Amino acid sequence: MNDDYPLSIQQVTAYQRDGYIQLNEVITGDDLVQFRDAVNAAVKKDTAQLDPNRPKSSYEQIFIQCVNLWHRYPAVKPFVLHRRLGNIASKLSGLSVRLWHDHALFKEPHTGAKTPWHQDTPYWPHQQKMHQLTIWVALQDTTIHNGCMSFIPGTQRMLDIEPVNLGEPQDLYAVAPQTKGIKPVTCELKAGSVTVHNGMTFHYAGPNRSDGMREAIAIIYMPDGTTYSGSPHSVADPMKLTVGQKLDTEFFPLVSN
Ligand SMILES: O=C(O)CCC(=O)C(=O)O
C-alpha cells in the first residue's frame, strides 16, 4: 500500500460540508486480502472462548466488536497504523491526527441487528469534540442487504445532543428533532472501499440479512493535541490518565505526515 490516496479539493470540501464521504478502492489487491485475513484471524482468536449460544445483550446483538486489534495482532498493526489511511484522515480534517483506537465490527448473518442512529464523539473521553473521524473499511462488499452504513449530512454541526444508548436506542427524532427533513445517504461499498465520518455525524447501519458475516474494521482518529476528559472509557481506563492530559503516548501514535 503506498502512502497517498489521491483526494481532490472537492472531496475535502464535501467531507467538511457533509461530515462524511465515501472513498472507493482505498485498499486493493494483495493488501486487501492480507488485511481481511489478518482481521478475520484476530476476531476468530479474540472470540474463540465465547459460547456462541450464550444469551447476548442487545448491544452484543448488533455486532461482534473487538477493540484495538493493533495492540495484540502484528499482522493487523501495519494496516491500522498505515499512513495512507492516517493521511486521508489528516487531509479531510485539515489536522495532524493520532490513532484513538481501532475496532473490528462484524455483524453476524441473519442475527446481526441494526446499528441505531447515533453520534460517536459523545461516547469518548475527549475534551475536544469536533474533529475526530472514523475510517470504516469494508472488508467485503457491503450493501443494504448485509448492513452498510448511512449518514445524515451536516449533522456534525449538532453538538449538544445527548448520547444515544445503543443497547436501548431511542427514536432518532426524539433524540435529535433537528435531523427531521434531512435525507440520509446510504453508502454501499465494494471490498476495500471506505466511508469516513466525523465523530459527530449521525450514522446508522442496517441489519445483516445475508448468509455471511458483514466484516468491517473501523479506525478512529483524533486531532494531535486532544486531551483526556476523565470520563470512563474502556480504552482509556487501563491507562491511568489524568484529566487534561494529552493523549499522546505510544498507545495513541501519530499516524499522519
Ligand atoms: O459498523 C456498524 O454497524 C456501525 C459502525 C459505527 O457506528 C462506527 O464506525 O462509528
Side-chain angles (χ1 to χ4, degrees):
M1 207 155 55
N2 67 12
D3 276 4
D4 269 320
Y5 178 85
L7 276 176
S8 65
I9 292 171
Q10 286 80 357
Q11 284 173 311
V12 175
T13 306
Y15 169 80
Q16 293 188 351
R17 180 191 62 222
D18 299 333
Y20 80 95
I21 191 163
Q22 172 171 341
L23 302 175
N24 294 330
E25 295 182 24
V26 172
I27 304 169
T28 55
D30 288 348
D31 290 321
L32 176 59
V33 174
Q34 281 169 27
F35 193 18
R36 184 181 181 191
D37 287 352
V39 174
N40 264 285
V43 170
K44 199 166 169 199
K45 196 151 182 223
D46 259 19
T47 55
Q49 305 305 325
L50 292 177
D51 172 1
N53 300 317
R54 74 196 180 284
K56 289 186 193 154
S57 67
S58 42
Y59 186 80
E60 282 179 296
Q61 287 168 35
I62 301 174
F63 37 50
I64 297 168
Q65 179 185 29
C66 301
V67 179
N68 268 339
L69 296 178
W70 77 276
H71 289 193
R72 283 168 285 118
Y73 297 99
V76 175
K77 182 173 173 176
F79 292 102
V80 168
L81 301 190
H82 207 286
R83 297 265 152 168
R84 182 173 175 86
L85 299 174
N87 286 343
I88 290 174
S90 172
K91 284 185 198 157
L92 291 177
S93 63
L95 299 164
S96 294
V97 297
R98 288 181 181 272
L99 181 69
W100 164 226
H101 68 79
D102 69 51
H103 51 173
L105 299 170
F106 278 28
K107 228 182 239 303
E108 293 178 272
H110 300 291
T111 58
K114 71 176 184 192
T115 313
W117 286 108
H118 66 284
Q119 297 169 302
D120 295 328
T121 318
Y123 304 132
W124 297 332
H126 300 163
Q127 288 182 314
Q128 302 75 19
K129 300 280 182 196
M130 288 180 62
H131 299 293
Q132 288 82 342
L133 64 173
T134 295
I135 300 186
W136 190 97
V137 183
L139 295 171
Q140 95 287 54
D141 294 356
T142 310
T143 63
I144 292 180
H145 188 57
N146 70 353
C148 66
M149 296 273 276
S150 297
F151 303 91
I152 307 183
T155 47
Q156 78 278 14
R157 288 183 281 274
M158 297 180 180
L159 298 180
D160 296 318
I161 298 169
E162 284 299 304
V164 170
N165 178 345
L166 289 175
E168 288 174 34
Q170 308 94 306
D171 176 66
L172 171 65
Y173 295 145
V175 184
Q178 345 30 347
T179 60
K180 267 190 196 165
I182 314 177
K183 202 168 177 297
V185 180
T186 295
C187 298
E188 295 195 318
L189 297 177
K190 292 284 180 207
S193 296
V194 310
T195 53
V196 188
H197 66 270
N198 181 303
M200 293 305 291
T201 305
F202 269 97
H203 54 284
Y204 163 94
N208 181 2
R209 298 192 174 90
S210 77
D211 294 333
M213 188 74 89
R214 189 220 63 185
E215 301 165 10
I217 182 163
I219 306 170
I220 310 169
Y221 304 87
M222 59 190 169
D224 184 24
T226 299
T227 53
Y228 177 57
S229 71
S231 300
H233 188 279
S234 59
V235 168
D237 295 348
M239 295 175 191
K240 307 280 177 244
L241 302 161
T242 52
V243 174
Q245 184 178 338
K246 275 193 187 158
L247 298 170
D248 61 1
T249 67
E250 64 193 300
F251 298 109
F252 309 112
L254 260 182
V255 283
S256 61
N257 290 343

